[in-house]
Amino acid sequence: MRHALTYDDVALVPQFNNIPSRTEPSLESWLTRNMKISIPLIAANMDTVIGEELAEVLLAQGSIPIFHRFTPFEEQKKWVAKFKDKTFISSGILQMDETRKLLDLGAIGACIDVAHGHSDRMFRYIQELKKSHPDKQIIAGNVCTAMAYHDLVNAGADAVKVGIGPGAACTTRMVTGFGVPQFTAVQDCARIAEKLRVPLIADGGIRTSRDVVLALAAGASTVMVGKLFSQTLESAAQKRKSDKYPSGFEAKYRGQASADFQKEFYGGLKAKTTAEGIDFWGPVSGSAENLLAVLLGGLRSGMTYGGARNLKELQRKAEFVQVTSTYIHESKPRPD
């Protein structure tokens, strides 16, 4: 039986550093095989995360918005018109005509977004979309094994989303028993990605800049963040006043397979299925710009500990050690 690890199970060993300033490292990375972005962070394509306000912030900071697929076609058309050549749209595997129309209207590409992306239907969808739109970029997912990553690239994907079950609102692992711990999933896929030169997106499990550094050092080209972005002022999440938190507001975050979402979108759970996600309210933390500053500041600092001027150097020099649960306890402030 193979051993697999989460982000909490590993730590990076500091390397020799000759970088004079934490502002020096470059954060530029590849989002897809033909597209670079200035920062390696993207917001999750979820209905309580991505909206116009957050998209504007992401673009200003050097990222790219990926719109979610659970919205009427006419609204998606308006989105593409507003962010033409600056956005991805998302689709399932039953929306070929709509996806092609949105690509024709100017979207950079499409994120083919299904819960279990390692399937023949996914392969066929990618292949058909590439036939009609060979110049458009296709992100495909989600998967959590090297074989699945390899198969999606062979089908024509220009980037692959890696992560099944690590999201804050996801219960897939608890419901089904399936899923690979996220650090191992990213590292396994990254070994193949290095050879095929098609970027992987580490999707899920991000709580702090520490997780961002670990995901990128393990081989991810970019990191997708859901919950943290949902709790910013500019997110698309429903918000309400709350005296429980310093900001005075709380935001609703939910998985797209949650009962709450399915009731709103489909009118209830589909027959013979069960929910694989939850919804919950959490504190509004502040602006998305501030969140990015915190995450990217931690990443830059981490890169100096890794002696890295860029993300490729961080990955090349990365030396991981496995740790116990007491490592996290030892690492936290203990004022008492």
Side-chain angles (χ1 to χ4, degrees):
M1 186 180 294
R2 202 158 61 95
H3 197 51
L5 305 169
T6 70
Y7 292 137
D8 279 354
D9 297 321
V10 297
L12 281 158
V13 178
Q15 304 296 316
F16 172 75
N17 177 42
N18 62 353
I19 302 169
S21 169
R22 293 178 179 182
T23 63
E24 186 173 317
S26 168
L27 303 185
E28 187 177 68
S29 191
W30 293 94
L31 176 60
T32 69
R33 78 170 87 209
N34 293 319
M35 183 179 181
K36 278 188 174 182
I37 54 177
S38 299
I39 61 172
L41 294 178
I42 49 179
N45 50 329
M46 299 170 69
D47 76 315
T48 53
V49 177
I50 191 68
E52 289 190 12
E53 283 189 76
L54 182 55
E56 296 281 9
V57 176
L58 293 170
L59 287 166
Q61 296 292 318
S63 183
I64 291 291
I66 304 175
F67 197 40
H68 70 89
R69 66 187 176 97
F70 300 103
T71 192
F73 178 65
E74 291 302 317
E75 286 187 35
Q76 294 196 60
K77 285 174 61 177
K78 291 177 182 177
W79 174 278
V80 173
K82 181 176 178 65
F83 297 106
K84 186 173 290 187
D85 297 325
K86 296 179 180 179
T87 189
F88 279 76
I89 50 94
S90 296
S91 79
I93 52 177
L94 300 174
Q95 301 164 290
M96 183 65 77
D97 290 342
E98 291 185 356
T99 300
R100 283 173 167 158
K101 289 175 183 176
L102 292 170
L103 292 176
D104 289 339
L105 290 172
I108 300 171
C111 177
I112 315 307
D113 190 29
V114 297
H116 182 24
H118 194 201
S119 70
D120 56 351
R121 296 176 74 189
M122 170 68 94
F123 302 158
R124 291 197 297 270
Y125 194 95
I126 295 172
Q127 291 162 355
E128 288 301 310
L129 202 55
K130 272 295 185 181
K131 284 180 184 177
S132 60
H133 292 79
D135 297 328
K136 297 294 185 177
Q137 298 294 287
I138 294 179
I139 300 170
N142 279 31
V143 298
C144 64
T145 66
M147 180 181 290
Y149 166 89
H150 186 277
D151 288 348
L152 290 184
V153 172
N154 278 352
D158 300 294
V160 176
K161 279 210 297 165
V162 174
I164 290 183
C170 184
T171 61
T172 292
R173 295 177 184 173
M174 302 306 294
V175 171
T176 70
F178 282 85
V180 175
Q182 186 68 349
F183 176 81
T184 293
V186 170
Q187 193 173 53
D188 284 354
C189 293
R191 292 191 180 104
I192 306 299
E194 187 176 9
K195 298 175 183 177
L196 299 183
R197 297 185 179 276
V198 173
L200 75 84
I201 301 167
D203 178 18
I206 302 300
R207 299 154 300 180
T208 67
S209 58
R210 174 184 184 272
D211 299 326
V212 172
V213 176
L214 290 170
L216 292 168
S221 294
T222 57
V223 177
M224 179 171 272
V225 181
K227 175 188 167 186
L228 296 181
F229 273 120
S230 79
Q231 293 177 333
T232 63
L233 292 166
E234 296 89 350
S235 79
Q238 178 186 348
K239 299 178 179 71
R240 67 188 183 189
K241 290 184 178 180
S242 173
D243 296 331
K244 292 189 294 184
Y245 305 114
S247 66
F249 291 91
E250 58 184 354
K252 185 179 185 179
Y253 182 57
R254 63 184 181 185
Q256 310 290 222
S258 66
D260 182 79
F261 174 80
Q262 292 193 56
K263 181 178 180 180
E264 181 178 322
F265 189 75
Y266 299 112
L269 292 175
K270 295 179 182 178
K272 299 183 180 181
T273 69
T274 189
E276 290 182 33
I278 62 170
D279 65 279
F280 57 85
W281 293 83
V284 171
S285 60
S287 70
E289 186 175 351
N290 183 66
L291 172 64
L292 286 166
V294 170
L295 294 178
L296 296 176
L299 173 57
R300 290 188 180 94
S301 183
M303 290 173 74
T304 62
Y305 280 97
R309 283 188 164 83
N310 55 58
L311 296 178
K312 282 296 181 186
E313 190 172 12
L314 176 68
Q315 293 165 357
R316 180 171 58 82
K317 292 183 175 180
E319 178 186 351
F320 293 100
V321 291
Q322 187 175 346
V323 298
T324 66
S325 59
T326 55
Y327 172 84
I328 296 296
H329 175 73
E330 182 187 59
S331 303
K332 292 180 178 178
R334 297 179 298 280
D336 296 333

